[in-house]
Each structure stands twice: as structure tokens, then as C-alpha cells.
Amino acid sequence: VEDYGLLLDTPSSEAEEDTNHDRDSVDGNNFAPSLFFGSMANLCSATLGAGVLSLPYALYQSGLVFGLALLGIAAWSSIISIKFLVKASSRYKIYTYEGLVDHVLGKKAKIATEFCMIIFCVGCAVAYVIAIGDILEPVLLELFPKTTLSTHVVLIIIW
């Protein structure tokens, strides 16, 4: 990733300066362990969400060889993009995604990024509510078999 260009190449003096800092620090300050583990938990929950559940179906539809090739390309692309983000974040000393987008791409790109993040979060929340509703519906039918209210109304009341 070091030679991929763009604005991410650091001069040798900056590279030597970076070796003096701890690996787990920002501007020489150590991260709290809870910040590290919280970040890891957040990353894992985002990464291992519905994508893992849909992976077998995607491999079935695309075929084993082509599916594994696509999976490898996606993994490689993720690694490269994360390395770009880390290197840019270190170079510009900006540690939020929105701040980095604002600095590198401008205010309009920052607004577009924030909008996409909001849409993603709302979509995840809606999917979560739908999944919980699908799980609770049979349970509610067992608990209240002869209810005058439909299970959808009961689910709406619960939420």
C-alpha cells in the first residue's frame, strides 16, 4: 500500500518521526483499553452482520470458484481501503471519517458522506425491527392464539 500514490505518501522525515510514537497512540497519548475493545466490537458487529448470513447464498448463486474469487477481491479491496484510511488519518492527524472526507474531498463530499451514513443507520434499524418482528410473531401467536388484535398491532405496540 505504501506505493499506491495519491496524497498518502509520507516524506521520509515524517516516516522516521512516526517510528518514535507508540503503535497504539494518537499524538503520543495511549488509547484506553475500553476504546480499543469498543472499537473492535463495533467493527466486528458491522462486519459480521447480515453479510455473513447471506454469504452462503451468494456463493451458491455465483458458483464456488467465481464466488471465492469475488470474495478474495472484496477482501483485498477492503484491506487496501482501510490502509489508505489509516495512512491518510495519520498523515493529516484527523481521526474521524467525516473529518477526513471533509479535509481531503471538501464540504459537499462530507455532507454526502454524512447523508449516506444516516441512510445506512436508518436502514439497519428498520432491518433490525423487521427481523425482531419476524422472530416474535410466532411466539406471540403461541402466547395469544385467540386475540382480537392482529400480531402486527401487538408488535407495533411493543415497539
Side-chain angles (χ1 to χ4, degrees), residues 13-69:
S13 63
E14 286 183 36
E16 291 171 7
E17 178 183 317
D18 285 343
T19 58
N20 295 332
H21 292 293
D22 292 334
R23 293 185 72 153
D24 295 323
S25 67
V26 176
D27 295 331
N29 298 324
N30 288 335
F31 286 130
S34 61
L35 177 65
F36 175 75
F37 290 117
S39 298
M40 290 301 296
N42 189 18
L43 180 65
C44 288
S45 69
T47 305
L48 301 175
V52 169
L53 298 175
S54 63
L55 197 55
Y57 181 73
L59 284 175
Y60 175 76
Q61 290 295 317
S62 61
L64 185 62
V65 174
F66 188 63
L68 289 176

Side-chain angles (χ1 to χ4, degrees), residues 94-110:
I94 300 172
Y95 302 104
T96 64
Y97 187 72
E98 299 93 325
L100 193 58
V101 170
D102 185 25
H103 183 77
V104 175
L105 300 175
K107 189 80 166 168
K108 289 181 182 179
K110 178 186 177 189

Side-chain angles (χ1 to χ4, degrees), residues 76-147:
W76 179 80
S77 300
S78 294
I79 291 168
I80 295 300
S81 64
I82 288 171
K83 286 184 177 184
F84 276 143
L85 287 171
V86 168
K87 197 163 187 176
S89 178
S90 296
R91 178 174 183 163
Y92 298 121
K93 305 292 185 222
I94 300 172
Y95 302 104
T96 64
Y97 187 72
E98 299 93 325
L100 193 58
V101 170
D102 185 25
H103 183 77
V104 175
L105 300 175
K107 189 80 166 168
K108 289 181 182 179
K110 178 186 177 189
I111 292 170
T113 300
E114 289 173 342
F115 178 75
C116 290
M117 291 173 75
I118 290 170
I119 296 299
F120 174 74
C121 290
V122 168
C124 288
V126 168
Y128 178 74
V129 169
I130 290 171
I132 295 298
D134 288 345
I135 292 168
L136 284 181
E137 190 171 13
V139 173
L140 292 174
L141 286 173
E142 285 291 320
L143 292 174
F144 309 107
K146 296 185 183 213
T147 182

